[in-house]
Amino acid sequence: MIEQQRVLATSIPGPRSIELQQRKMAAVSAGVGTGLPIYVTAGEGGILRDVDDNQLIDFGSGIAVTNVGNRNPRVVEAVQRQMEDFTHTCFMVTPYEEYVEVCELLAELTPGDHDKRSALLSSGAEAVENAVKIARHATGRQAVAVFEHGYHGRTNLTMGMTAKNMPYKDGFGPFAPEVYRLPMAYPYRWPTGEKNCLDEAFEAFRSTVHAQIGEERCAAVVLEPIQGEGGFIVPPEGYIARVAEYCHDHGIVFIADEVQSGFCRTGDWFAMDHEGVAPDLITTAKGIAGGMPLAAVTGRAEIMDAVHPGGLGGTYGGNPVACAAGIASIESMREDDLNARARHIEELLVPRLQTIADRTGVVGEIRGRGAMLAVELVSDLDLKTPAPELTAAINKACHERGLVTLTCGTYGNVFRFLPPLTIGDDLLMEGADILEEAFAAALA
Ligand code: PLZ
């Protein structure tokens, strides 16, 4: 048991973490970065403990993964039980019930009451790749449309689908063909003003698909209903429904990438629930299994079943231990009503972010939903000039004070908050106090 309390035993990172970071440099590829190099020995709920006995408040959840809290008791119990039974068979060789149960739960929980099927994988990128494979197979078309600021993974296809060059793509090309980038409905930065964003962005979407792809060549449109790595961008109310309707009218598969926004993160089971339309396919990962590697593509039976038997799979996809963790995580989300918790976190945190915005004058926008919240930082509120150095400095000031925070955004100026949904109110408010201090320190 780790007490849900912040402890600063040394400076951050402490001496033992600094030593381990030296070992890391000599053994781990420089290509694998570490945002906050404290070496973790234990985690529970909203706290991470490190090798120097510091205890940090977690506002990152391992990038929206430990939604049910680190070391969630139900997940631990399920994983242990499954390990006692068997660790692996490969579902394609000899199947097991847990895989089927996860797919049944996904059919029940994902948006839409149509007949659904799923395929299980091990990472978000794999889920997105498979969704594209399925959409191409089902439509007989090749082109895939993605959006500015989109993030979909680090495999060759998903790198090509990801918008931002540095650090994800730089020098790693050539990328897969038939990926087209569409303008994103980004209200805060819409050139003619936020109020025009819905209509003009949809028109830009429609005309770009028509002119640069051709509707009848387009297999899929892939959109994060709230963009993650790209900056927690929330499209205007109604935009996603229009895109989905357009896809429907033209036989294009509409894929919602909910790898980051799914599983109670935004205060609904999925961010798409908020939009009033069901995607044809949805990709999930991260939050699904409380920290175990599990991912899925779920969607309309006629699309998912268009693929020939044996066309989808992978050695580890839907590993039994990961599936057991998934079933237990979903149970926790239900039993502990984590959608309500996410909305409660929004209610508590947004006013604190508003106070920071009022005091500092560097917050261009507060946005997000539920426990997927961010502030976009600018050096000039009128010109909206991105402030990436300031963002990095505030992030660092949080780390030094024992708060694990993350940044994101195409311009590196978005400061995001992804606490575990089980985090206690006290810890959340202590985190908010640290945010205030960090802003003050970085601006001093
Ligand atoms: N789709 C919407 O957010 C992963 C990336 C971290 P994987 N986002 C975190 C990093 O720098 O590598 C993500 C996502 C969305 C797909 C993915 C990819 O999921 O499990 O990292 O492959």
Side-chain angles (χ1 to χ4, degrees):
M1 266 295 272
I2 302 181
E3 216 181 324
Q4 294 296 295
Q5 195 186 328
R6 179 174 60 127
V7 176
L8 292 180
T10 67
S11 56
I12 305 266
R16 299 203 51 212
S17 278
I18 291 171
E19 241 175 78
L20 279 163
Q21 190 69 356
Q22 296 297 327
R23 259 172 74 192
K24 181 249 176 197
M25 311 262 248
V28 181
S29 163
V32 183
T34 45
L36 167 51
I38 53 133
Y39 281 73
V40 174
T41 54
E44 190 162 306
I47 289 283
L48 295 174
R49 183 191 286 158
D50 74 6
V51 284
D52 295 289
D53 290 330
N54 296 299
Q55 293 196 174
L56 290 85
I57 301 174
D58 186 7
F59 269 19
S61 301
I63 323 190
V65 172
T66 52
N67 293 6
V68 296
N70 213 305
R71 200 174 170 277
N72 176 289
R74 283 194 186 85
V75 173
V76 172
E77 204 267 321
V79 165
Q80 282 170 346
R81 198 168 7 93
Q82 183 57 43
M83 289 296 284
E84 298 284 327
D85 293 342
F86 63 97
T87 42
H88 174 80
T89 64
C90 186
F91 190 77
M92 302 181 302
V93 180
T94 49
Y96 38 87
E97 184 177 346
E98 291 78 4
Y99 188 116
V100 179
E101 190 175 340
V102 170
C103 296
E104 288 167 351
L105 287 166
L106 284 164
E108 185 189 333
L109 296 172
T110 54
D113 50 14
H114 47 274
D115 199 14
K116 292 173 201 154
R117 303 282 186 273
S118 290
L120 302 186
L121 299 312
S122 306
S123 70
E126 248 189 306
V128 174
E129 287 241 17
N130 277 276
V132 170
K133 277 169 70 172
I134 294 163
R136 282 178 169 159
H137 205 290
T139 57
R141 305 175 181 178
Q142 295 185 348
V144 178
V146 293
F147 290 82
E148 291 168 347
H149 312 289
Y151 181 92
H152 300 289
R154 292 177 183 265
T155 60
N156 184 268
L157 175 62
T158 58
M159 258 194 296
M161 293 169 68
T162 290
K164 191 175 177 178
N165 178 51
M166 205 53 159
Y168 308 121
K169 303 168 75 166
D170 196 65
F172 297 136
F175 303 110
E178 290 305 317
V179 175
Y180 297 84
R181 194 158 308 281
L182 308 177
M184 179 60 193
Y186 187 169
Y188 177 64
R189 292 191 180 277
W190 195 257
T192 59
E194 198 164 332
K195 65 178 191 315
N196 297 324
C197 184
L198 173 62
D199 289 332
E200 291 183 11
F202 178 71
E203 179 50 26
F205 161 82
R206 194 203 58 75
S207 62
T208 309
V209 175
H210 177 73
Q212 296 186 24
I213 305 174
E215 295 83 351
E216 68 292 348
R217 299 271 167 241
C218 189
V221 167
V222 188
L223 175 64
E224 300 156 83
I226 296 182
Q227 289 184 317
E229 303 306 306
F232 281 30
I233 298 162
V234 187
E237 223 40 76
Y239 175 77
I240 292 176
R242 280 204 214 175
V243 168
E245 186 189 358
Y246 174 89
C247 289
H248 179 80
D249 291 347
H250 295 282
I252 300 167
V253 178
F254 178 62
I255 303 173
D257 181 352
E258 294 234 28
V259 166
Q260 189 154 163
S261 56
F263 288 102
C264 308
R265 181 48 62 187
T266 63
D268 286 298
W269 279 98
F270 298 94
M272 281 300 295
D273 290 325
H274 185 84
E275 306 296 334
V277 284
D280 297 312
L281 301 182
I282 181 167
T283 55
T284 55
K286 290 187 186 284
I288 187 173
M292 295 297 286
L294 185 65
V297 187
T298 301
R300 292 185 189 282
E302 62 276 19
I303 298 174
M304 295 295 295
D305 282 343
V307 181
H308 49 276
L312 306 174
T315 305
Y316 291 117
N319 166 275
V321 182
C323 284
I327 295 163
S329 296
I330 290 169
E331 191 187 320
S332 282
M333 292 174 205
R334 280 187 155 142
E335 293 292 313
D336 304 338
D337 196 358
L338 294 190
N339 282 321
R341 278 296 307 167
R343 290 193 289 266
H344 179 70
I345 289 171
E346 176 178 350
E347 274 166 26
L348 289 184
L349 209 49
V350 168
R352 301 294 304 268
L353 298 174
Q354 190 60 56
T355 305
I356 292 173
D358 296 342
R359 277 192 201 156
T360 60
V362 295
V363 175
E365 188 177 46
I366 302 169
R367 62 179 177 246
R369 262 203 316 275
M372 185 171 184
L373 298 170
V375 286
E376 174 157 358
L377 304 185
V378 292
S379 56
D380 183 312
L381 286 174
D382 295 323
L383 297 175
K384 304 186 177 180
T385 319
E389 290 86 8
L390 176 66
T391 310
I394 299 169
N395 195 39
K396 187 159 175 281
C398 285
H399 295 175
E400 287 164 358
R401 288 163 175 76
L403 180 67
V404 181
T405 45
L406 305 167
T407 62
C408 64
T410 299
Y411 316 112
N413 66 326
V414 180
F415 196 33
R416 61 171 154 173
F417 314 109
L418 293 163
L421 307 179
T422 54
I423 194 169
D425 289 358
D426 289 356
L427 223 46
L428 189 72
M429 288 302 95
E430 193 179 341
D433 294 341
I434 298 171
L435 290 180
E436 275 180 19
E437 280 173 43
F439 269 82
L443 286 164

